[in-house]
Each structure stands twice: as C-alpha cells, then as structure tokens.
Amino acid sequence: MSLITATLIALACLCFAPAVGAAATVSARRPLRGNDTLVSAQGKFELGLFSPAGSSGDRFYLGIWYKNIPGQTIIWVGNRASPLSAVASAELRVSADDGNLELVGPTVASTSPVVVWSSNLSSSLSPGSNNTAEIRDNGNLVLVDGGNSSNVLWQSFDHPTDTLVPEAWIGENKLTGEYQALTSWRNAQDPASGVFSETLDPNGASEVFYMWNRSRVYWRTGVWMGQAFARLPEATKNTIYNGTYVETPAYRRVINVLYDNATITRSVLDPTGQAQMYIWMPTSQSWQLLWTGPMLQCDVYALCGAFGVCDQGGKLPCHCPPGFAPVSEGDWTLNDWSGGCCRSSPLTCAHNGSRTDGFLMLPDVKLPDDSLTVGAAQSKVECESACVKSCSCQAYAFSAGECTVWYGELRNLQQLYLDSDSPGSDLYLRLSERGLQDLHSVDREKMGRKLWFVLGIILAGVAAVGASVILAWRIVLARRRLVSMANENVSFLAVYSYGDLRAATKDFSERLGHGSFGSVYRGVLKRHKGDNSIRVQVAVKKLESLGRQGDKQFRTEVSTLGCIQHVNLVRLLGFCSSGDDKMLVYEYMPRGSLDGLLFRDGACLSWRDRYCIMLGVARGLAYLHHGCRECIIHCDVKPENILLDEDMSPRIADFGMAKLVGRDFSRALTTMRGTIGYLAPEWISGQPISAKADVYSFGMVLFELISGRRNSKGYSELEAAGTGGSESSLTFFPVWAAAKVLEGEVGAVADPRLRGDVMPKELERACRVACWCIQDEEAQRPTMAQVVQALEGIVHIQAPPVPRTLEHLVTLM
Ligand SMILES: *[C@@H]1O[C@H](CO)[C@@H](O)[C@H](O)[C@H]1NC(C)=O
Ligand SMILES: *[C@@H]1O[C@H](CO)[C@@H](O)[C@H](O)[C@H]1NC(C)=O
Ligand SMILES: *[C@@H]1O[C@H](CO)[C@@H](O)[C@H](O)[C@H]1NC(C)=O
Ligand SMILES: *[C@@H]1O[C@H](CO)[C@@H](O)[C@H](O)[C@H]1NC(C)=O
Ligand SMILES: *[C@@H]1O[C@H](CO)[C@@H](O)[C@H](O)[C@H]1NC(C)=O
Ligand SMILES: *[C@@H]1O[C@H](CO)[C@@H](O)[C@H](O)[C@H]1NC(C)=O
Ligand SMILES: *[C@@H]1O[C@H](CO)[C@@H](O)[C@H](O)[C@H]1NC(C)=O
Ligand SMILES: *[C@@H]1O[C@H](CO)[C@@H](O)[C@H](O)[C@H]1NC(C)=O
C-alpha cells in the first residue's frame, strides 16, 4: 500500500508544474478560444474542446479531462448533443448580456457561430457580466459571481454526464426538483445521451436506480443502510471508496469522498448500461476495473435493442435472430446495440385468411415479460393462429397449456443455456414467407456447395489416380515422421482435428458452461484400449481469449500441462490447434462444479463432503505450487473452477491458463467476471502475482464452503435467522466471520442448513486457516503445503488476526 501511495504522491506532485499556454479563468473580457484550455490550480484537470478518440475528428465538444493521465479520459461534456464542426473560431465565454457561460462556434448546420451550449441561468439569477468561470482541482467547472467569489452560480457537478469523480454527486435538488443523473454516452465516439441512466429513486427512497429509456428500472442498489447499500454489502467504505448517502433539507445525494486524495478513481455509466468503477494504476499507467453493476451485461434491460438477442456466452453480447439484421451496422460495430434488429424481409400480413407469414423457433430463450396471454388457445396450432390473426403480433410461445403472444417490438430477449439457473423456453418468431424461404435457401446453398466440393474431389481423384498413388505413398511417409515428432512433444496428449471435435460435440451443441476463457461443450470420443474402442465422455473447451498465439508456443505450453497429473486436478486428455481454433479436451465430470452444489437452493453438502473438498482442493493446489517442476500459479481459484467426480472428490479445473493465455490474463479475469471477489489485494495494486495469490483465493473459497453462501452477499439474512448480533446490519461476510472466529464463536459462522451437524474441531481449523489465507501481507499467508498440514490436523494453528485490507481495500468488489 505504502508503495502505491508513494507513487501516487509522486504523480500528484508532477501536477504542480505550471501549465503552458493555459488560462486560469474565463470571463467576458478573457474568453477561451480555439485550442486553448483552462487548467485547475494544481493542474489535475483540464477544460477545453476535444474530439472523441477514434472518431473522424470533425465533431468537437467542450469537455473536462485529467491533465496528467495519457489518453484524455473525459469526465464531463457540455454540448453533448450539438457538436461544433471546427475549433478555430470557437469560443467559450461569459456572455456580456446575461452573465451566462456559453460556447459559441460553427456547426454542421451553420458556418457562422451560434450558441451550442449555455449554463442557461435565467437572467434574474445572474447579476451581470463580471462573472468568471474556473475549473477546480476536483474537476468541477464553476461559474462564480464577479462581485462575490463565494457565490457559485452554476457548476458542472450539478449537471453530470456519464462520470462521477470523487466529491461529485448524483441526487435531487429538493428546492428546484431537479435531478442529477448519469446518462451514458451513445457509444465510445458519441457523447450524446444514450438510453441508460442512473439516479436516485424518484419516489424519495435512498436507493440508486439504473434505468433504460429513463423509465424502466433494470438494476438497483437497495436502500442506504448507514454503511452501504442493501444490495451491495461488499461496497462498504474503504480507502478507495467512501460512498455515502446524504440528505439535507435542500438536497439528497450519493457522493463519494476520498480518504486519500492522491488516489484517482472514477465511476462511469458505460454505453452498455453497466456502472463501472475504475482506479488509475500509475505503475501500469492504466485504468483498472474494480467493480461493475449489474455484473452480467445481459442483465441490462434491452441491451440489444428491439428483436436483438443477448447471449452472455458470446464474444459480443448481442446478435440478431435468423432472418433479422441490425438496423444500423455502423452502430453495432461501435458496440451500440440499442438500435436493435429488423426483419430482412418485411411481414406480409394478409387479412383475408391466406397464410403468408410463418414462424421460426428460437430455442432456450428467456421470454420478454410484456406478453399477453391468450385464454382460448388450447394447442400450439391454435396459439399460432391466434398470433397470425393479428398483423401486429410478432411472436408466440406455447408451453404447459398456456399460449402467450407479443405485440410490438420484442425487447430483452436472452439466450439461455443448459446450465442456466432457470430453463429457457421456445419462442416462435414471426417471419414473412419470403424471409423463411431465404433462410432455407441459405441452408440449401451451403449443402449445394458441399456437394460440389465432394464431386470435385472425386473427379480430381479419378483423373489423377496414377500420380496420386506415388504421391500418397510419399505423404504417408511424411505423416509418419510428423506424427512421431508430435508424439515427442506432446507425450501423453491426443491431438485432434477440428472435425474430430466438432463431430464429438455434435457441432458444439451441448454447452456445459462458459468460463473466463471460452465455452465448454460436452462430447463423446472413441478411444482405443487394446483392441477395443470405448466411448468416453469428454468436456471440450474452446479457447477464446488466446489472441493470435503461435501454434508452436501453444503446443509447448499444452504439452507441459499434459504432464501434470494429480488426483485432485482435472485431467487434460488432448487438444486441437487448427489455425485460430484452439481447443482443450478434458475428462468429463458428471457432477459439475462446486458452485452448483454449494449455492443452489435445495442442495446441501454434508460437512464431511465439505471438509473432503477443502482438503482435496488444498492438496491439488499444493501440488501445482510445490509438486511440479515449475511452480504453476492457478490465478483463478473459485468454486466455478472446482469440479466434482462421482465420489464427490474435487478436481481443480483451468490450471495453467495463466501461462497459456499470457499477458491478457488479468484483463480476462477482471472483465469476464467483473468482480474481484476472490482476487488478492496484489491484483488490484498491480504488484507481481505469486503463489500466495492462490492461497488468498483459496481462503475465500473456504469461507464459502463453511457458510454455504457467496461471500459477496451480506450476512443480514443470517442474522435474521438469529445467529448474530444486530447492531451493524450489513457487512462483507469474511470480515464478519473473521471477527467471530477471533471471538471464538466459530459455530455462528457455519452454514445454517447444516443445523449444527458439523465436526467442531474441523470447523475451527477450517475457519482459522481461512482467516490466515486472506491476510493482506503475502508473507503472513501460509503456503498451500502448510494449509494441507493444518487441515489434516498435523500442525496447530494460532488464532489469526482480522485481515485489515478486507476492511479497506478489498471489500470493494
Ligand atoms: C489546434 O492544435 C492542433 C494540434 O496541436 C493544430 O494542428 C491546430 O492547427 C490547432 N488549431 C488551432 C485553431 O489553433
Ligand atoms: C435553456 O433552458 C430552456 C428552458 O429552461 C431550454 O428550452 C433550452 O433548451 C436551454 N438551452 C440550453 C442551451 O441548454
Ligand atoms: C463589475 O465590476 C466593476 C469593478 O469591480 C464594477 O464597477 C461594476 O459595477 C461591476 N458590474 C456588475 C454588473 O456587477
Ligand atoms: C456572497 O455569496 C454568498 C453565497 O451566496 C453569500 O452567503 C454572501 O452573503 C455573499 N456575500 C456578499 C458580500 O454579498
Ligand atoms: C421511451 O420513453 C418515451 C417517453 O417515456 C416513449 O415515448 C418512447 O416510446 C420510449 N421508447 C421506447 C423505445 O419504448
Ligand atoms: C466519508 O464520507 C463522509 C461523508 O462525506 C465523511 O463524513 C467521512 O468523514 C468520510 N470518511 C473518511 C474516513 O474520510
Ligand atoms: C486533498 O487536497 C487538498 C488540496 O491540496 C488539501 O487541502 C486537502 O487537505 C487534501 N485532503 C486530504 C484528505 O489529504
Ligand atoms: C388474400 O390477399 C392476398 C393479397 O392481398 C391475395 O393475393 C390473395 O389472393 C387473397 N386470398 C384470398 C383467398 O382472397
């Protein structure tokens, strides 16, 4: 910590350097012209005209950004919706008429300068032309009364765009009824207001709402509980985040005041509707994502627009259903999906009863909730005809004797999978006859091409039969050499072609899950055992985050993974490396992953099973850390990566990915899951990662095994069950548990579903080990070998201290 702080202070000191060519204030006599900028007293923030990065550079906006952070991170925009077309004749000035701050310049519509943005105070409020504008060191642009500098007439913190910096707020001005809300940019290149916004509950509750189209709430924080918001217990105060709800007779606000103003953080409502919190890491010169809400992109309402389908497993979350195309291809390439999809050929609704429209089935989708139920329809056929009858009916679904239909545009369609918590339904989407024909002809074309291909091969084969005999012989010889080379490299592993694995997984049809690095599919492969060939079930992982890794490097890395075998590690059976398609083949674990067994309602693992799992995982990790030739840091220890075999023995999955995926690894970790719940503090601070990072994550998993619940959930429910005190109502579970362990009350920490059916000695051991594992200082955490010994009861464990970072840095997830 002290190291980062020191670096941050060093960076802050840079800011004292006088800014060259920048003004201190804007007034009627001294306007800001063209490229000139206004810089805050200590040089932290800069105000001026900018053109969004990546855009064509012909639209200019008044904006505020960090002066000393490369890459111009914009925190405020004035003329969001009305850009200037040139910088040269633009001017930010205090109006001589009414004292307002205004931006004047040419636009696409008018070459002579016009007012594109104004502080827009009614003239009775502003006393005259002596007003001055300045930018403060917290990033606030203020317009102050010329005669009285403590009278702030207007400030940008009252009109936020999509970003909150410390000391800024969202909330309500009770006197004027005005709301301060964050509104997303339309996309990364267009600061105009997007469809998502974030503000306080208009009904007066101390809760933050995330809204689509300023009306429909898709995510909420829960009410303020004094220390944190009810649904975000993990975001309790810490050294980075001191979010507070404040209510006075004049206003109510959510505001984040830093403890330490050398740390640079910001929260932004992303164009895709997620709130994201970032911290600037001076060591890596980059913004590190700390937290997102909602966690899953598809939980953002109507992210993919009308008729778009959200698929959390896809590389990009949005796609159009068959027969549909994006309304605006350009917007889609900028990840602005809100325009949605439209039919490639329009419906031909025939009133006279002749059927010209048909239906296309979309399997396993989460149905939009704005449906109407048709009472009369008793069968799927009747349901379909009920929909056909109305020209505005767009889709229907029939299940369990109930017929539902949708009128108007369909929003919030979501693709579900076998492993989803709730099963999906089949949705029948209306398409014109033409549209359906087009779909079929595309299929036929594909078939046709395949046929010609096969025919071509046969013809060529016949024609060149003489030559090919000789050639084939040569090829066979070469192949043999190749295979033997491959065998040297990849000793235990089978090498599969793309076709092999596609066939084995039935064209990747049965998806088991989606992890940080790609989707996993179930498959069946034939293996030879002596003279017999047997069918074995496998799990095929299609890697996504690999970038353009060379074939040779991939083979080398995979072959070292193939050598690692331990009873508590999932076995790698083979791989496929064909061009950009890289796949790993693992043995199949019928019971799935630990999170399913541990957190799902109804299931309850016995204490015996839990303790065996703790020991098994500890042994597996100890083997990775100490037993292999090269220490292997897993980097992503969490219940999703712990699989269970038939005997409930745990097997760690996904080890070795850190090396395989290389530099992109930490990015994949933070962006894929959007939470740092299992990650050690050193991940956040940007220090090098050692095996002790796994120890930390293992400690977090131990707590979850003990309590049977996600650490990220508050423990208020537990208290309702009468197992704890009630004075501090919500807190991050491990903090609370660590305190209980210290007080000797380990019984209170155990999963209530076990009804006290635990081994007290083992419970105490597990609790103590967990606490030691999540210590801030790497040196204080035990090694995995020590953890194994402690859990086995071979060594005695002292009472651990409560980890300090948990109360500060890491509680933020
Ligand atoms: C603004 O700055 C850019 C690059 O520094 C320069 O090319 C351009 O001429 C400047 N424009 C004006 C109006 O000063
Ligand atoms: C100023 O406020 C009026 C009404 O309050 C509004 O119609 C107008 O668009 C605003 N102008 C600007 C430049 O914001
Ligand atoms: C502006 O300031 C000057 C000098 O301080 C003062 O004489 C003048 O009355 C002020 N004008 C207004 C409109 O306040
Ligand atoms: C200056 O403005 C502040 C804030 O509006 C006000 O409280 C104070 O009385 C003003 N001072 C004078 C001298 O007008
Ligand atoms: C968004 O809200 C406005 C006003 O509430 C409404 O007129 C409009 O139809 C809504 N847009 C969509 C796409 O539903
Ligand atoms: C956190 O913010 C609140 C409200 O702004 C403030 O009263 C409190 O002192 C802050 N805490 C720290 C430790 O800075
Ligand atoms: C933050 O910076 C300001 C300006 O330098 C200073 O006055 C203030 O004391 C600092 N606050 C803390 C908590 O360091
Ligand atoms: C129904 O209407 C369509 C188009 O308007 C027409 O082509 C068709 O002949 C009509 N069918 C009947 C049975 O009238």
Side-chain angles (χ1 to χ4, degrees), residues 528-548:
H528 298 282
K529 205 172 196 179
D531 289 339
N532 306 322
S533 76
I534 50 165
R535 288 157 58 83
V536 276
Q537 296 209 69
V538 293
V540 177
K541 177 162 210 149
K542 253 179 141 171
L543 298 173
E544 272 166 15
S545 314
L546 227 47
R548 309 206 131 262

Side-chain angles (χ1 to χ4, degrees), residues 675-730:
T675 172
I676 54 167
Y678 302 93
L679 297 190
E682 53 266 28
W683 280 104
I684 308 168
S685 59
Q687 286 161 29
I689 298 303
S690 77
K692 292 293 181 72
D694 282 352
V695 176
Y696 184 95
S697 313
F698 176 72
M700 286 295 180
V701 174
L702 276 191
F703 273 122
E704 295 188 327
L705 273 162
I706 293 166
S707 68
R709 61 209 328 275
R710 293 269 188 201
N711 289 335
S712 54
K713 287 195 174 164
Y715 75 100
S716 56
E717 293 160 45
L718 262 186
E719 287 193 326
T723 49
S726 61
E727 64 278 8
S728 62
S729 52
L730 267 173

Side-chain angles (χ1 to χ4, degrees), residues 317-368:
C318 293
H319 66 258
C320 290
F324 285 73
V327 170
S328 162
E329 285 283 355
D331 287 346
W332 276 54
T333 57
L334 293 171
N335 292 355
D336 172 11
W337 302 287
S338 57
C341 311
C342 60
R343 289 184 177 79
S344 305
S345 70
L347 294 179
T348 49
C349 186
H351 291 280
N352 57 9
S354 78
R355 246 197 65 176
T356 50
D357 292 340
F359 288 87
L360 176 81
M361 186 182 82
L362 297 183
D364 293 328
V365 292
K366 183 177 161 195
L367 301 176

Side-chain angles (χ1 to χ4, degrees), residues 128-210:
S129 57
N130 279 356
N131 301 340
T132 58
E134 65 184 43
I135 175 128
R136 304 233 160 120
D137 268 317
N138 55 9
N140 196 5
L141 173 66
V142 293
L143 178 68
V144 295
D145 182 344
N148 175 0
S149 65
S150 58
N151 186 13
V152 172
L153 301 170
W154 180 95
Q155 56 186 332
S156 62
F157 278 6
D158 272 332
H159 305 271
T161 47
D162 70 333
T163 304
L164 279 187
V165 291
E167 297 182 28
W169 57 81
I170 52 175
E172 182 195 5
N173 181 335
K174 288 183 179 174
L175 306 177
T176 63
E178 256 182 307
Y179 274 84
Q180 287 87 46
L182 298 188
T183 308
S184 60
W185 283 29
R186 276 199 57 215
N187 59 53
Q189 297 175 8
D190 186 355
S193 296
V195 286
F196 303 109
S197 59
E198 168 189 347
T199 193
L200 276 179
D201 178 3
N203 304 316
S206 58
E207 179 169 11
V208 180
F209 281 180
Y210 290 73

Side-chain angles (χ1 to χ4, degrees), residues 464-476:
V465 73
S468 61
V469 168
I470 304 158
L471 215 84
W473 181 239
R474 285 195 174 170
I475 288 173
V476 166

